[in-house]
Amino acid sequence: MSEHIKIEKSAGVLTLVMARPEKKNALTDAMYKALADALEASDGDPETRVILIKGEGDMFTAGNDITDFAAANAASANATGAGAEGPRNVFRFIRALGAISKPLVAAVQGRAVGVGTTMLLHCDQVILADNAQLTTPFVNLALVPEAASSLLLPARIGHIRAFSMFALGEAVGAQDALAWGLASHVVPLDELNTTAEQIAVRLAKQPLGAVIATKRLMRDAGQIAERMEVESAEFTRRLASPEAQEAFMAFAQRRAPDFSKFS
Ligand code: COA
């Protein structure tokens, strides 16, 4: 359990709320664990027909907690500390996103950074508030894409746009996200929760067996899982790099990173 993940169940909809607004819902290992536990359990739970993911406060999530990244980097550097093998629960969460058979719906306001955006690639309906901004600034942090996004994002929006998002950290606004096929709906901010809940409840009333079979037919879960493993190995290597150390230190010191000394 994590105090920063709220879990509710009603009318066949399991709602998972990232609730750490004072840190912009940055995801810690404990939060990933709570999310992974809930997703893994949902497939066997007859009361869950749809999963709805939301964030509290003014943004969906600022992505992975960078303090946790820095700790994994430091542990790798001295190869003694706990966590030297890299983060665990984030990979569990990511794998669960790829493997889940029931439909996923997301309601996104403000920024969705990093995994905040890559998790949307696994959602079957994505409702954006008109102030939503999707970013995947992995390279800005000297990291690489995860959650099979190196496969799914270019497939969805094309190589050039995906590369701009990954390598330059360019933000995509709500209307572009809708036009590019990253979202199903864009609504005014004050209608976000109601719209997302209505869609989730509507989906929950559909015949679940047919919904699950349709989702399975539409995605190559094996290929997604394979890509996640390849990405995770690269991500763990990058996480331990001096470039990444500089990026995490710069974030902590609220300054721009200087990558010029690394070749
Ligand atoms: N990890 C850890 N802490 C984070 C965080 C993250 N990913 N994102 C935000 N926070 C913390 C800030 O350090 C700050 O903490 P403090 O109040 O103790 O100083 C608090 O959340 C509020 O963030 P702040 O930066 O003041 O909010 P903002 O509205 O000005 O900016 C962001 C929001 C998301 C643009 C900015 O916080 C940011 O760029 N975060 C990093 C995003 C990122 O790179 N994530 C990883 C992607 S792979």
Side-chain angles (χ1 to χ4, degrees), residues 161-213:
R161 286 167 175 160
F163 192 82
S164 301
M165 289 185 73
F166 286 142
L168 294 170
E170 282 190 5
V172 175
Q175 290 302 338
D176 280 342
L178 183 68
W180 298 356
L182 291 168
S184 52
H185 306 72
V186 174
V187 297
L189 179 58
D190 61 359
E191 291 173 20
L192 178 68
N193 281 332
T194 323
T195 308
E197 278 154 26
Q198 280 168 353
I199 290 166
V201 168
R202 218 177 113 202
L203 209 41
K205 288 182 180 157
Q206 293 291 77
L208 185 60
V211 171
I212 288 176

Side-chain angles (χ1 to χ4, degrees), residues 17 28 98 113 186 224:
V17 187
T28 60
V113 186
V186 174
I224 288 171

Side-chain angles (χ1 to χ4, degrees), residues 20-28 58-59 61-69 111-116 135-141 143-144 146 235 248 251-252 254:
R20 196 188 175 208
E22 69 286 1
K23 293 286 183 185
K24 307 294 178 188
N25 298 330
L27 290 155
T28 60
D58 65 356
M59 67 180 71
T61 169
N64 201 104
D65 189 299
I66 295 181
T67 322
D68 279 6
F69 274 163
R111 289 175 189 267
V113 186
V115 69
T135 53
T136 51
F138 296 110
V139 171
N140 297 46
L141 287 171
L143 299 171
V144 291
E146 34 68 323
F235 197 96
F248 306 148
F251 178 76
R254 292 189 171 264

Side-chain angles (χ1 to χ4, degrees), residues 7 10 15 22 27 33 59 61 95 101 104 110 118 132 136 148 150 155 169 212 233 239 247 251 256:
I7 301 179
S10 152
T15 303
E22 69 286 1
L27 290 155
K33 180 178 184 313
M59 67 180 71
T61 169
R95 284 190 198 109
S101 69
L104 289 172
T118 60
T136 51
S150 64
I212 288 176
L239 198 55
F251 178 76

